[in-house]
Amino acid sequence: MAKPDELIHQSLRLKIMAALHAARAEEGIEFSRLKALTGATDGNLGSHLGTLETAGYVAVAKDFVGRKPRTRVSITRAGERAFREHRDYLREVIESGG
Amino acid sequence: MSLSPQQAAAALDDIDCVEQRTYRARGYAIASPYLILWGLIWIAGYGACAVLPPERWGMAWLPLVIVGALGSTWFGMRARSSHAGSAERSSFGQAAVMGLAIFAFIAAVYYLFQPQSPLPYLIFPSFVAGLVYALAGAVARMPRFVWIGAGVFLLTLGGYAFAPQWSAIWAAAGGCGLVAGGLWLRTV
């Protein structure tokens, strides 16, 4: 039986992890695009990314494109494993009927 | 932590929804530069058709098509280098096959119906392009492609119906539709 991950299960953090997991072949997702994909606000997204980063599930990289600052977020190996395990847990809950 | 099946199903729905949105956004980002490039080529090509006699249209289009093919190849190489997966490789190959199939289809239709007026040569490719974008959007569940295809189709058809003598201009306007569509895709 897969284990649940309370940190990931929070609604917005689950969406963040789903978006980053779907884009894991890319070099991360820009902050503004992640905001659009998850429907989050700036402050909310930043706060939850901080939680996920502390847990080692996401990596945040900041650089400049010309003079414009850019923040890119990507999922780590540990994040991928944790997300997949939590998703498996959700599927098992449905299959077992609770 | 204990969840009911309903809560688990709702969480999986959220995951599925965000994943689909992410894949769609990625597809739009990859397609955007192609639409802008080919839209500009359409504008230049059909703009040339508006001012040149029909016997010189081929000479006007040849360098533009070469620029388009080279540009598309470069976009494909750039996508491969920035996205490590094999999906872009296969989508680039699919795009090349689709391009050849569409070209063969248009050429076969001209051969079959032998249009006497130059107008069908100007208008028909826009109809086919509109159809292809709309079908691709429907199949890939990318609704913006459907709108872009419908826009190009209706703009060209409407223009032809009201002022057929300006067919080259309407076809060029279809190119503007592609450019606008390409820019629109970048906003996702």
Side-chain angles (χ1 to χ4, degrees):
Chain A
M1 177 98 181
K3 290 178 185 168
D5 189 319
E6 288 194 39
L7 195 129
I8 289 180
H9 189 70
Q10 193 278 338
S11 175
L12 180 55
R13 288 199 285 268
L14 188 68
K15 289 178 184 174
I16 293 169
M17 293 298 283
L20 294 175
H21 187 260
R24 62 193 179 281
E26 299 178 60
E27 296 165 343
I29 299 181
E30 284 193 35
F31 187 89
S32 56
R33 178 164 283 184
L34 189 57
K35 199 173 74 170
L37 290 171
T38 57
T41 61
D42 275 351
N44 218 4
L45 182 58
S47 160
H48 285 295
L49 280 177
T51 305
L52 291 168
E53 191 181 18
T54 304
Y57 289 171
V58 305
V60 179
K62 296 185 180 188
D63 61 1
F64 283 86
V65 179
R67 288 182 180 179
K68 205 174 164 188
R70 181 177 66 169
T71 302
R72 294 178 79 85
V73 188
S74 57
I75 194 167
T76 63
R77 288 285 170 88
E80 279 185 45
R81 274 196 303 273
F83 175 75
R84 279 200 288 260
E85 185 155 11
H86 186 67
R87 194 176 52 187
D88 290 345
Y89 165 75
L90 295 172
R91 287 175 179 153
E92 286 172 12
V93 168
I94 294 171
E95 283 165 11
S96 67
Chain B
M1 181 181 180
S2 179
L3 294 177
S4 68
Q6 290 76 19
Q7 287 171 315
L12 282 174
D13 281 348
D14 277 351
I15 290 173
D16 188 49
C17 181
V18 172
E19 280 180 343
Q20 291 305 318
R21 208 179 296 159
T22 305
Y23 293 138
R24 205 161 42 229
R26 186 180 177 191
Y28 286 154
I30 291 171
S32 167
Y34 291 96
L35 259 72
I36 294 171
L37 171 67
W38 283 100
L40 292 171
I41 286 170
W42 272 34
I43 294 167
Y46 286 117
C49 291
V51 295
L52 294 174
E55 61 272 16
R56 296 185 65 185
W57 290 354
M59 289 296 288
W61 272 101
L62 184 62
L64 291 170
V65 170
I66 291 171
V67 167
L70 290 174
S72 298
T73 305
W74 184 70
F75 289 144
M77 289 166 67
R78 198 178 61 164
R80 277 201 298 278
S81 65
S82 62
H83 304 283
S86 61
E88 287 74 19
R89 254 192 300 281
S90 62
S91 64
F92 179 65
Q94 286 167 343
V97 171
M98 273 179 61
L100 284 173
I102 292 165
F103 178 79
F105 173 73
I106 292 172
V109 168
Y110 289 156
Y111 176 72
L112 189 65
F113 293 104
Q114 305 276 327
Q116 298 303 305
S117 153
L119 297 187
Y121 290 99
L122 294 170
I123 294 297
F124 186 63
S126 297
F127 290 169
V128 175
L131 175 70
V132 168
Y133 280 110
L135 288 179
V139 170
R141 294 182 189 177
M142 293 187 167
R144 291 194 178 193
F145 283 120
V146 177
W147 287 109
I148 291 168
V152 169
F153 180 85
L154 291 173
L155 184 65
T156 319
L157 178 64
Y160 178 73
F162 286 108
Q165 70 276 19
W166 294 342
S167 288
I169 302 296
W170 298 120
C176 294
L178 287 184
V179 172
L183 294 172
W184 185 36
L185 294 185
R186 297 174 78 164
T187 63
V188 180

